[in-house]
């Protein structure tokens, strides 16, 4: 949840990250201190890309949520969008869902290393979670619910001879979703992150290389930039399931009809206008998600909608009230969401 633009705008609050940022900008004048995350710019897709080096089109991790692959598909014209159709690729909850490891079967980087070579550090509840099993399996997990406890665990693992430590910080993203990234609450979490990175650099063995990056950035939205799909007759028509997220929406049409999908895509372009950044069919989505393999092809929407600026596309039939009201969002293709830092320093 730390976009490069976000860090640069708030660098005055981050003495440690500001120093690392300056070092990288000086050392790599042409390349700068940033890289691009994947599209969609969302956690399930991006952490899996980080964990496997494969694009969402290959891993099938194409959004926050997808049409449950175990539903009878394609859905006919009588189907109505609802939460029971959707599988969250973060929680993997439900009675009729595939195994995360079998669904996302691209070997992780951790699995390709010799046994015992990697440790993952983050909240205790992440051990064996659905997203961990899909994206980051293969590393032993050390639980630390407090951010301030994680640098010490990381340093200890390195001193025991573990060559690779993955240290996860999710507090920024969680706070940004709840309060917006321009909030004082988010700034407090950024300052905590900066202090933790200073502690990490102080405690790791000399010669340790530290890389800091992120899965995505974020934009702040508000009710004036919210489009309710269910309130527009032309947007509701022919759509039998809605997945993804408000910044990157997967629409499924009756019977998976490709001609109907093209018609729906054109209708959405007309209605949304410049509030959408890109609208395309499943066949066109590979341009952004990567070439669609069998897993992705089965769940990518017949139509995919990426919203522009800070607009969101919501559907109260599918999205919870809290998700609709969320001020901090991500998932689309804007630089604020896709440009992330890559800061490299040596202790």
């Amino acid at each position: 949840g730390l976009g490069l633009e976000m860090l640069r705008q708030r660098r005055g609050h981050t003495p440690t990250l500001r120093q690392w940022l300056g070092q990288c900008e000086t050392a790599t004048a042409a390349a700068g201190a940033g890289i691009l995350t994947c599209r969609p710019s969302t956690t399930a897709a991006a952490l899996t890309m980080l964990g496997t080096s494969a694009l969402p089109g290959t891993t099938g991790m194409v959004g926050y949520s997808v049409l449950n692959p175990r539903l009878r598909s394609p859905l006919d014209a009588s189907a109505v969008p609802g939460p029971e159709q959707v599988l969250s690729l973060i929680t993997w909850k439900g009675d009729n869902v595939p195994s995360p490891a079998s669904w996302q079967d691209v070997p992780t980087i951790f699995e390709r290393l010799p046994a015992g070579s990697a440790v993952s550090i983050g909240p205790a509840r992440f051990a064996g979670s659905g997203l961990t099993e899909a994206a980051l399996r293969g590393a032993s997990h050390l639980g630390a619910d407090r951010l301030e406890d994680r640098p010490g665990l990381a340093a200890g693992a390195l001193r025991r001879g573990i060559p690779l430590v993955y240290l996860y910080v999710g507090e920024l993203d969680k706070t940004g979703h709840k309060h917006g990234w321009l909030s004082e609450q988010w700034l407090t979490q950024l300052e905590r992150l900066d202090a933790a990175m200073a502690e990490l650099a102080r405690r790791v063995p000399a010669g340790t290389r530290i890389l800091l990056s992120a899965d995505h950035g974020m934009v702040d939205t508000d009710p004036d930039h919210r489009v309710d799909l269910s309130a527009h007759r032309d947007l509701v028509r022919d759509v039998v399931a809605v997945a993804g997220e408000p910044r990157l929406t997967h629409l499924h049409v009756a019977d998976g009809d490709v001609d109907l999908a093209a018609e729906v895509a054109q209708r959405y372009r007309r209605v949304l206008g410049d509030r959408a950044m890109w609208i395309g069919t499943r066949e066109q989505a590979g341009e952004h998600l990567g070439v669609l393999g069998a897993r992705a092809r089965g769940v990518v929407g017949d139509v995919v909608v990426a919203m522009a600026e800070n607009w969101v596309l919501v559907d109260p039939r599918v999205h919870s009230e809290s998700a609709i009201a969320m001020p901090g969002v991500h998932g689309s293709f804007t630089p604020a969401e896709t440009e992330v830092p890559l800061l490299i320093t040596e202790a």
Side-chain angles (χ1 to χ4, degrees), residues 138-276:
S140 58
H141 187 77
L142 299 178
D145 292 338
R146 290 181 68 249
L147 169 56
E148 288 76 10
D149 293 335
R150 295 173 207 158
L153 286 179
L158 291 164
R159 293 188 182 282
R160 291 194 303 274
I162 302 294
L164 177 62
V165 174
Y166 171 81
L167 192 161
Y168 180 73
V169 176
E171 283 81 357
L172 278 173
D173 188 58
K174 182 177 180 180
T175 302
H177 281 308
K178 186 175 182 180
H179 300 285
W181 81 269
L182 292 170
S183 66
E184 288 296 321
Q185 292 92 331
W186 187 88
L187 200 56
T188 297
Q189 298 303 326
L190 181 64
E191 291 171 348
R192 287 181 70 201
L193 169 65
D194 191 77
M197 292 302 97
E199 178 76 357
L200 179 70
R202 185 181 69 81
R203 297 183 65 170
V204 298
T208 298
R209 177 170 290 183
I210 300 171
L211 298 88
L212 182 142
S213 193
D215 50 353
H216 55 72
M218 185 173 283
V219 296
D220 280 2
T221 188
D222 56 56
D224 292 336
H225 291 85
R226 191 181 298 155
V227 179
D228 182 347
L229 183 164
S230 68
H232 291 263
R233 184 177 60 185
D234 284 345
L235 299 184
V236 169
R237 184 154 49 99
D238 301 316
V239 174
V240 295
V242 174
E245 50 219 297
R247 289 286 291 164
L248 195 291
T249 304
H250 293 263
L251 307 170
H252 295 265
V253 304
D255 301 315
D257 187 302
V258 294
D259 292 330
L260 181 58
E263 179 185 327
V264 169
Q266 187 57 37
R267 196 186 313 145
Y268 267 70
R269 293 186 193 105
R270 175 175 55 80
V271 174
L272 294 179
D274 60 8
R275 293 176 292 185

